[in-house]
Each structure stands twice: as structure tokens, then as C-alpha cells.
Amino acid sequence: MHQYPLRIPDVLWKRIEVEAESRGLFISEMLIEVIEKGLLKIYEEEAKYGKIKPKQIDSK
């Protein structure tokens, strides 16, 4: 399995960490759940509104 580094803001990371702990999950399991649910939301929005343009990420 491939591993990819993620750039996650500290505040978001802490929320994921706390939520994973409260559910009794490893952080990696929580991240997988977040990504899967996020993808489902994107698919739902695309089905409803058509293709959605990705947000531009500003490089610092």
C-alpha cells in the first residue's frame, strides 16, 4: 500500500485526533472515514449540480 504525506492544519488535525479517540479508532482509520464521507458528499453534489470545479490551493 502506498503512503502519502498530508498537509493538514493543526486545528483540523486536533479535531480528527479527538474524534478518533472518542470513537476508539486509530487516526488512520478516522482519516479514511473522513475521506470516504467527503468523496460521497462530492459525488452527491456533482449528481445534483453537475461537475464541480476544485478549489484553487494557494501555495505559500
Side-chain angles (χ1 to χ4, degrees):
M1 182 167 69
H2 296 284
Q3 294 184 3
Y4 301 96
L6 298 174
R7 292 184 213 145
I8 300 175
D10 290 336
V11 172
L12 183 56
W13 179 261
K14 192 63 179 169
R15 289 175 65 188
I16 291 169
E17 214 173 28
V18 167
E19 188 64 27
E21 185 178 325
S22 71
R23 294 176 180 221
L25 299 173
F26 291 112
I27 291 175
S28 59
E29 293 170 327
M30 189 68 206
L31 287 171
I32 290 168
E33 186 175 329
V34 167
I35 291 167
E36 287 174 347
K37 287 186 179 193
L39 285 173
L40 288 174
K41 181 67 175 170
I42 289 169
Y43 296 154
E44 289 171 1
E45 289 180 2
E46 285 182 347
K48 189 173 183 180
Y49 302 112
K51 182 95 174 132
I52 298 171
K53 294 181 182 178
K55 294 180 181 177
Q56 294 293 326
I57 299 173
D58 295 329
S59 57
K60 293 181 179 179

